[in-house]
Amino acid sequence: MDGVPEPHSGWTFLTNHARVLAAIADDRSVRIRDIAAHCRLTERAVQKIIADLEQDGYLSHTREGRSNTYRIDPGKVLRHPAEAGLTVASLLSLLVQAEADRATVPGGQSPAPT
């Protein structure tokens, strides 16, 4: 999870819950410490977000030794009424594609819109 951007203030388009979920989708055995660094959150905030996601059935984990392996329910429908019918899988596919596009453009700049 390198290429972490500089801290940002003000509003953003994605929620911290979406960022944490995307970080877990990228690496199912990622450590909370690494999620926190990548998402620019505290470890405590990440723990709370993971608890929220688990409580509502979007995420579960199994303990393997000293680490966790996470499982995302890809068929779970997003919570907001404006996204009625959209699944976690559709959200993550957009985020994964955007990440792949960003990785292929020199300097980390977003590709020009088409």
Side-chain angles (χ1 to χ4, degrees):
M1 295 205 177
D2 33 340
V4 177
E6 291 301 314
H8 179 269
S9 62
W11 67 274
T12 62
F13 285 99
L14 297 177
T15 67
N16 289 336
H17 284 66
R19 286 189 189 94
V20 168
L21 196 62
I24 291 171
D26 188 46
D27 178 359
R28 304 296 167 125
S29 59
V30 66
R31 298 180 311 167
I32 287 177
R33 174 179 299 164
D34 296 330
I35 297 170
H38 180 73
C39 297
R40 299 289 186 194
L41 299 169
T42 64
E43 290 180 33
R44 185 178 208 128
V46 171
Q47 288 172 333
K48 169 87 170 77
I49 289 168
I50 288 173
D52 289 346
L53 293 170
E54 286 184 323
Q55 181 179 0
D56 287 347
Y58 290 91
L59 185 66
S60 61
H61 76 276
T62 55
R63 193 83 172 145
E64 295 183 8
R66 293 177 52 193
S67 61
N68 290 321
T69 299
Y70 297 96
R71 183 190 163 287
I72 296 170
D73 182 350
K76 188 86 169 158
V77 177
L78 300 180
R79 291 170 42 111
H80 197 279
E83 288 97 33
L86 292 176
T87 63
V88 168
S90 61
L91 171 66
L92 292 175
S93 70
L94 289 172
L95 295 175
V96 167
Q97 182 59 46
E99 186 67 27
D101 289 346
R102 221 177 14 177
T104 59
V105 176
Q109 296 294 318
S110 298
T114 55

